[in-house]
Amino acid sequence: MRLSDNKFSGKIPAGIGLLPNLQFLDISMNMLSGPIPYQLGDLFKLLSLNISHNFLNGTIPDQIGILFALQGLLDLSYKSLSGEIPTQLGKLTNLISLNLSHNYLPGSIPNSLSDMQSLSSINLLYNRLEGTLPEANIFDSAQIEDFSNNKGLCGKIQGLQSCNTLITAPGGKIKKHKLVIIIVASLGSALLGSLMLVGIFSFLYKRRARNYSKEEEFTSNREGPFSVIGSLADMLRNDKEAMELDWTKRVEIVQGVAQALSYLHHDCVPLILHGDISSKNVLMCSNLEAHVSDLGTTRFLKLNGSNRKTFIGTYGYSAPELAYTMAVTEKCDVYSFGVLKLEVLMGKHPGDVISKIQTLAVGSINVKDILDPRLPPPKAKQSVDKLVLVLKLAVSCLPSNPQSRPTMQSLSELLEAKITRG
């Protein structure tokens, strides 16, 4: 069963376990949400399982570890999975490739994984793993790239920190590297205000990916490719300037903001919340590239969940849970990003449209009914498909339950895969 790279949403049905003769299952690159059903463990003839690049959350079911026939691929990457890696996975002794990257998996890597004698490829990067790497088999030949961007792993792999040299704090907790935050003073510009971070995180992300120019080239005048010409809010309010933001540019704006927020939430240690995502805080350069700015409300995210603050964000963009709990998580930024995406499509703040969309099934929404009427409707099917994707991703960000929202990492990856590479 190969259903990858579609637009399927909703949960993986428990009835999937009623296909005992299934040997290959690939439902990757979709918009599936909810937990991984434990009934997958009933597919005892399964040779390959790929459910990566979705919005799935929860833990990895122990029952995955009884799929003894698995011998090709087990790919559970690019989700929002939490909970420790099940020791039962070590029983998959015929498995060749294991990918659990880009999740929130905490704790240590089970020593049982060293029992996977056939494993020739493992990818655990971008998680919250810590402690000593197991020894033997795959862990003797793995590379540092397979384990980077975790909480604090150590071991004998070249490039990985030795377990004997880790600096520990009281209580035995491993200290993390501190993120160096660069504050840029914008002098003489009412637009930028006093002190703020001007697109630094967007630049850092893009420089890593595409060798972008130095931060000093980002200025507040109108000269040069990285000069500020106004905020996204200003451009959308101005009919003439809004026409410059055609559908291609608007999709690129959504991608740029997604990349910047994904960097803050997933690539920084400790994780960083923006706290005030809105069109006023997205600066546009003269090349019409978008950069997240005004991080005056940012805060480091405590992994124990005890993040509270008084209301600081912008009304109309702030997540509904802030009104009664004041509990701040990265999912607050995700909600604001969903509002921003609708605004980019509509050319104005969505207002009451948000509550209407929340009550409708995604498939019942006609994207052409909400597009900015100042622009000619997109004609090419590829352009329409991209705008439909942006709309669906916007809706996925707006549930009142924060846990039902996707991560910025998964949103950014889906946009990259289906728009840039697709």
Side-chain angles (χ1 to χ4, degrees):
M1 183 182 292
R2 303 184 188 276
L3 303 175
S4 63
D5 201 12
N6 282 286
K7 299 174 183 177
F8 296 122
S9 58
K11 297 181 179 180
I12 301 175
I16 193 73
L18 300 177
L19 302 173
N21 292 318
L22 197 64
Q23 293 184 328
F24 297 90
L25 178 58
D26 185 352
I27 50 177
S28 62
M29 302 291 293
N30 280 291
M31 303 168 67
L32 299 169
S33 59
I36 300 174
Y38 69 86
Q39 288 86 351
L40 284 175
D42 295 333
L43 304 178
F44 59 91
K45 292 186 179 180
L46 208 59
L47 301 175
S48 177
L49 175 61
N50 186 354
I51 54 178
S52 63
H53 290 86
N54 279 289
F55 298 148
L56 301 174
N57 53 29
T59 60
I60 301 174
D62 293 342
Q63 288 81 356
I64 298 292
I66 62 175
L67 296 175
F68 303 127
L70 279 179
Q71 59 182 17
L73 170 69
L74 174 57
D75 194 340
L76 308 180
S77 62
Y78 289 97
K79 296 182 177 57
S80 301
L81 300 180
S82 56
E84 297 188 354
I85 299 174
T87 58
Q88 288 86 345
L89 293 188
K91 298 179 181 179
L92 305 178
T93 56
N94 296 316
L95 189 66
I96 294 175
S97 178
L98 174 64
N99 190 348
L100 304 178
S101 66
H102 296 84
N103 282 294
Y104 294 115
L105 304 177
S108 59
I109 300 173
N111 287 323
S112 61
L113 297 194
S114 62
D115 297 332
M116 304 171 73
Q117 298 180 1
S118 298
L119 202 62
S120 61
S121 172
I122 188 169
N123 189 344
L124 300 178
L125 58 82
Y126 285 100
N127 277 290
R128 295 176 178 174
L129 299 169
E130 57 186 328
T132 305
L133 257 62
E135 297 183 3
N137 294 324
I138 183 61
F139 297 99
D140 287 340
S141 57
Q143 304 296 317
I144 177 64
E145 291 80 10
D146 300 325
F147 307 103
S148 60
N149 291 89
N150 271 288
K151 186 177 180 181
L153 289 173
C154 63
K156 297 180 180 179
I157 293 177
Q158 184 176 3
L160 197 66
Q161 191 167 15
S162 170
C163 296
N164 296 328
T165 61
L166 280 178
I167 302 174
T168 57
K173 294 183 178 181
I174 298 172
K175 290 182 179 179
K176 298 178 180 180
H177 295 292
K178 300 296 183 181
L179 172 72
V180 178
I181 300 180
I182 305 170
I183 302 295
V184 179
S186 174
L187 302 177
S189 173
L191 169 66
L192 298 184
S194 54
L195 291 179
M196 61 176 62
L197 254 71
V198 185
I200 290 299
F201 294 102
S202 177
F203 269 98
L204 288 175
Y205 182 96
K206 293 179 179 179
R207 287 181 69 196
R208 286 171 26 143
R210 298 202 303 259
N211 255 341
Y212 249 58
S213 302
K214 296 179 180 180
E215 291 88 342
E216 298 86 62
E217 297 179 19
F218 192 81
T219 63
S220 59
N221 58 46
R222 288 176 172 260
E223 298 178 0
F226 303 117
S227 57
V228 176
I229 61 173
S231 70
L232 176 60
D234 292 335
M235 293 197 70
L236 290 177
R237 279 197 299 264
N238 185 297
D239 289 344
K240 181 179 179 181
E241 293 184 351
M243 294 292 288
E244 296 181 37
L245 300 177
D246 59 23
W247 297 123
T248 299
K249 287 294 182 184
R250 296 195 187 198
V251 171
E252 291 175 352
I253 289 171
V254 169
Q255 280 188 283
V257 176
Q259 289 175 346
L261 288 177
S262 179
Y263 181 83
L264 291 174
H265 289 186
H266 301 281
D267 293 346
C268 295
V269 179
L271 309 184
I272 295 179
L273 305 181
H274 184 283
D276 193 10
I277 293 297
S278 70
S279 57
K280 292 181 180 179
N281 290 331
V282 175
L283 300 184
M284 302 301 298
C285 294
S286 54
N287 62 355
L288 298 183
E289 188 172 66
H291 295 274
V292 175
S293 72
D294 195 6
L295 282 85
T297 57
T298 55
R299 63 193 296 115
F300 294 121
L301 176 62
K302 299 176 183 178
L303 298 183
N304 63 12
S306 58
N307 299 275
R308 294 182 179 272
K309 71 171 185 178
T310 56
F311 182 84
I312 299 178
T314 300
Y315 286 102
Y317 296 86
S318 296
E321 63 267 22
L322 290 178
Y324 53 87
T325 67
M326 291 300 178
V328 182
T329 70
E330 70 273 23
K331 295 303 179 74
C332 297
D333 281 349
V334 174
Y335 182 92
S336 301
F337 179 59
V339 178
L340 179 68
K341 280 186 286 189
L342 289 178
E343 183 174 0
V344 170
L345 292 177
M346 298 176 64
K348 61 181 180 180
H349 187 278
D352 293 339
V353 173
I354 296 176
S355 58
K356 294 178 182 178
I357 284 179
Q358 288 172 325
T359 62
L360 296 174
V362 177
S364 66
I365 304 172
N366 188 342
V367 67
K368 293 184 179 180
D369 292 340
I370 69 169
L371 293 182
D372 191 339
R374 294 173 295 183
L375 290 181
K379 297 180 180 180
K381 181 180 182 301
Q382 186 178 22
S383 298
V384 174
D385 288 345
K386 290 179 180 179
L387 294 174
V388 169
L389 175 64
V390 172
L391 173 61
K392 289 187 175 183
L393 293 182
V395 174
S396 74
C397 295
L398 299 174
S400 56
N401 181 0
Q403 298 307 313
S404 298
R405 300 169 200 156
T407 65
M408 286 309 310
Q409 189 176 74
S410 60
L411 289 168
S412 181
E413 290 293 337
L414 274 171
L415 287 167
E416 174 71 17
K418 295 200 172 192
I419 291 179
T420 302
R421 297 197 297 267

